[in-house]
């Protein structure tokens, strides 16, 4: 896989494409685990707020490039970055396999259904703009859960 050029800087791969190349160097296909790996790398390198933009823009651009712009989902993209970021802060480290082993729930595609009703995620509003969880709060918003240590 050759990284695409960054539109603002011809001849230079975008940060998303650099992360994608790093993930794909050890993967045969880009599945859910690879999405989580890419998100983990982004969160570790630029922090959660910047990773939301980096990952979301990259996925949206990739979906457009593949001729499937409807596959991009604002709420799903942001929610995954925030969940991975929360757990990455709980257990900092440089080994994705160890991180994934410690947080196996992140490798389940249906994790967001713990926080959202399926109808909410399927709604046009959630697809095009951020929707707060409506089934259960994220762990960092739940006063009954401990906060990660920094």
């Amino acid at each position: 896989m050759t990284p695409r050029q960054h539109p603002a800087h011809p001849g230079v791969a975008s940060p998303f494409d650099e992360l994608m190349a790093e993930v794909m160097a050890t993967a045969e296909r880009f599945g859910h685990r690879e999405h989580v790996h890419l998100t983990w790398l982004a969160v570790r390198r630029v922090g959660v707020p910047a990773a939301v933009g980096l990952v979301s823009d990259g996925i949206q651009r990739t979906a457009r490039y593949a001729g499937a712009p409807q596959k991009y989902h604002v709420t799903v993209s942001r929610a995954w970055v925030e969940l991975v970021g929360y757990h990455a802060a709980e257990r900092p480290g440089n080994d994705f396999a160890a991180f994934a082993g410690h947080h196996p729930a992140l490798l389940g595609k249906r994790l967001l259904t713990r926080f959202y009703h399926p109808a909410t995620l399927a709604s046009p509003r959630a697809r095009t703009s951020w929707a707060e969880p409506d089934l259960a709060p994220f762990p960092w918003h739940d006063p009954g859960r401990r906060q990660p240590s920094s």
Side-chain angles (χ1 to χ4, degrees):
M1 168 179 279
T2 305
R4 289 186 300 280
Q5 293 183 355
H6 190 282
H9 307 285
V12 177
S14 74
F16 179 85
D17 292 330
E18 290 174 359
L19 294 174
M20 178 72 83
E22 186 172 338
V23 168
M24 294 309 295
T26 58
E28 292 182 21
R29 59 181 277 285
F30 193 76
H32 179 71
R33 180 184 180 90
E34 290 72 28
H35 269 101
V36 173
H37 188 179
L38 184 142
T39 301
W40 176 79
L41 288 170
V43 163
R44 289 181 54 248
R45 293 196 183 148
V46 301
V48 172
V52 168
L54 175 70
V55 171
S56 295
D57 292 348
I59 291 171
Q60 189 172 27
R61 185 171 36 90
T62 301
R64 275 194 317 265
Y65 181 79
Q70 73 281 2
K71 287 193 172 193
Y72 175 70
H73 194 294
V74 171
T75 299
V76 168
S77 295
R78 177 175 162 185
W80 276 108
V81 173
E82 290 190 11
L83 283 165
V84 170
Y86 172 78
H87 291 295
E90 274 187 325
R91 190 175 190 89
N94 295 326
D95 182 0
F96 176 72
F99 172 78
H102 192 72
H103 301 288
L106 291 171
L107 300 179
K109 288 182 178 183
R110 297 186 42 80
L111 178 62
L112 293 186
T113 62
R114 292 184 187 176
F115 306 101
Y116 291 93
H117 287 99
T120 301
L121 288 176
S123 74
R125 181 183 163 274
R127 182 171 291 286
T128 60
S129 63
W130 172 247
E132 290 288 338
D134 62 350
L135 189 57
F138 285 132
W140 55 95
H141 291 159
D142 186 350
R145 285 189 58 129
R146 67 169 182 80
Q147 296 298 308
S149 56
S150 298

